[in-house]
Amino acid sequence: MHETLDRTVEIRTFNTIAEIEALPGFKKENPVSPTNYKHLLGDYFFSDEVKCCLLKSNDKLCNEGHKWGFVAVLTDGSITLVGNECAQTKFDGESRLSADRSKYLNQKKHEEGLERLRALVAQKQSALEEVLQVKSDLATVQARVHAMREKLGPQTMRHLEAIARTGAYALSVIGVTTKEYIDKKGKKQTDRRTQRMTLGTIANTSFLLEERYRDVLHNLSDVKKAYDEAEKIEQNVTTLKLNALTKKMDIIDQARARAFELIEQERKFAGSDLSLLCYITPDKVERYKSAKYALEQADQDAGKEKAKEWFTERDRFFRAQLNVTKIDVL
């Protein structure tokens, strides 16, 4: 059975105490209790606290400060204030104020949901155009990932995907330090020491995972259907249907945000130090492929000999940085 709404509930939110004080019948420190409460006139949201006029069992005013609460009309026609927390916890759950509070908040949430959907529908055309552009941008990124798979070795790609899934961005290598010396017998000896070291970090790799695109593209494909549905929504729509549609629009927003994230990750990855890719696997063929790929991304000559020269230069740089004789890849 669908929930029906009481359309007699009028939503009115006051943003300043002056608006309430200007109401005919408003009185300061005007006690409210289950016996003299009549109905709610609206709610208030202030930046500063105002004192609650709930009448306690000892016949004294609550006087607790609240920034959010309700404007209540009493049986004598006068108007007063009661804080939300007090209306929720200090009035009996079966009281009329408690029931009115729940009804009011449900209606307010319903109307805010309607208003939000209408605001979204007003931007339907630009939103649809944006989604098309995002899908196009994602397709471009996916094409570049496909090209990357063709250019880099399988071990390198598997390691990059593992980084994306685990978040273990630090790239570890073995730093080798050798030192020659003459022993007591006058013979030349070599002292070889090894240490596990971090060469750098390879981050922003989630854009390489195919599964990250599937849900995003599926949700973006639903966008026109969701907007068409939202366009037909009426004032008396059930809260259940309104919530379902609002959730659908939220999923679209989330999908759009995740799409931008993937696009941004690819941009950051492309702008990072791609020479680190040469230290993912000990396989020499793959290491040179990575060097060639890094040069191509920098729009430099990426011939076989050029890639070898560039890799040798980068290796010299990293050895100096780590202060080691040699770098072994794990």
Side-chain angles (χ1 to χ4, degrees):
M1 185 176 172
H2 288 306
E3 177 191 343
T4 55
L5 293 158
D6 184 352
R7 297 299 167 193
T8 61
V9 178
E10 186 181 345
I11 304 304
R12 183 179 180 185
T13 299
F14 297 88
N15 298 306
T16 66
I17 187 64
E19 290 177 69
I20 299 171
E21 288 174 343
L23 294 170
F26 175 77
K27 292 179 185 176
K28 286 185 178 180
E29 300 181 353
N30 191 11
V32 56
S33 69
T35 56
N36 72 345
Y37 166 77
K38 189 176 182 184
H39 64 83
L40 292 179
L41 191 64
D43 63 328
Y44 65 81
F45 272 95
F46 299 152
S47 53
D48 297 318
E49 291 183 345
V50 290
K51 289 180 179 179
C52 175
C53 295
L54 173 78
L55 188 66
K56 298 194 291 185
S57 56
N58 62 2
D59 288 335
K60 289 185 179 180
L61 290 181
C62 168
N63 276 333
E64 191 178 327
H66 297 271
K67 292 182 180 181
W68 174 34
F70 295 92
V71 181
V73 177
L74 307 184
T75 50
D76 64 359
S78 65
I79 294 169
T80 191
L81 302 173
V82 58
N84 173 61
E85 198 176 317
C86 290
Q88 183 180 11
T89 62
K90 295 179 183 176
F91 263 75
D92 186 287
E94 299 299 313
S95 73
R96 189 169 171 186
L97 174 59
S98 182
D100 283 357
R101 175 190 169 277
S102 296
K103 191 187 294 181
Y104 184 93
L105 291 179
N106 287 338
Q107 180 67 19
K108 184 173 183 178
K109 188 178 177 185
H110 184 88
E111 289 187 11
E112 285 173 347
L114 272 174
E115 191 57 39
R116 179 172 174 265
L117 279 181
R118 285 175 183 143
L120 285 171
V121 166
Q123 300 162 12
K124 177 182 175 181
Q125 196 52 43
S126 61
L128 292 177
E129 287 168 7
E130 185 192 3
V131 166
L132 282 176
Q133 184 60 53
V134 169
K135 288 173 85 172
S136 172
D137 291 343
L138 277 182
T140 303
V141 171
Q142 285 181 293
R144 284 202 283 260
V145 171
H146 180 74
M148 188 177 172
R149 290 182 191 282
E150 297 291 313
K151 290 172 182 177
L152 293 176
Q155 291 178 45
T156 305
M157 284 305 300
R158 277 197 297 273
H159 189 87
L160 288 172
E161 287 170 357
I163 289 172
R165 290 193 174 98
T166 62
Y169 302 134
L171 181 63
S172 293
V173 293
I174 299 295
V176 182
T177 308
T178 57
K179 192 175 181 182
E180 292 185 345
Y181 66 97
I182 305 298
D183 67 12
K184 290 177 182 179
K185 294 179 181 179
K187 288 184 179 180
K188 188 186 283 187
Q189 301 288 351
T190 303
D191 178 41
R192 187 178 190 274
R193 299 187 182 188
T194 61
Q195 185 183 350
R196 192 183 181 108
M197 307 173 103
T198 299
L199 187 65
T201 57
I202 300 177
N204 301 299
T205 51
S206 288
F207 76 95
L208 297 170
L209 303 175
E210 278 301 314
E211 62 263 29
R212 295 292 165 92
Y213 295 84
R214 281 196 293 269
D215 287 346
V216 171
L217 288 168
H218 174 73
N219 288 328
L220 288 177
S221 295
D222 282 346
V223 69
K224 188 175 186 306
K225 188 179 173 184
Y227 271 98
D228 288 345
E229 201 176 332
E231 231 169 6
K232 294 170 188 169
I233 209 118
E234 293 175 0
Q235 184 72 29
N236 64 349
V237 63
T238 64
T239 298
L240 194 67
K241 188 174 181 181
L242 179 63
N243 289 346
L245 188 51
T246 302
K247 188 178 178 183
K248 194 182 286 187
M249 300 299 271
D250 284 341
I251 288 170
I252 289 164
D253 276 350
Q254 290 160 20
R256 205 158 28 184
R258 287 200 302 272
F260 283 129
E261 197 176 291
L262 290 169
I263 293 163
E264 182 63 10
Q265 279 200 343
E266 194 256 353
R267 188 190 67 77
K268 285 181 178 177
F269 180 86
S272 66
D273 184 359
L274 296 178
S275 64
L276 292 171
L277 300 178
C278 302
Y279 294 87
I280 284 176
T281 170
D283 186 296
K284 276 191 175 180
V285 174
E286 288 210 12
R287 297 181 81 182
Y288 287 132
K289 276 187 173 183
S290 294
K292 194 173 186 303
Y293 175 78
L295 283 170
E296 283 176 359
Q297 295 309 297
D299 292 324
Q300 293 182 34
D301 179 5
K304 190 176 180 181
E305 291 307 312
K306 188 70 180 174
K308 285 185 177 181
E309 286 174 23
W310 181 81
F311 172 67
T312 302
E313 182 55 41
R314 291 303 293 165
D315 194 63
R316 189 181 295 119
F317 168 80
F318 284 127
R319 279 186 280 121
Q321 193 178 57
L322 297 177
N323 195 24
V324 295
T325 312
K326 184 188 175 190
I327 297 172
D328 281 345
V329 179
L330 293 165

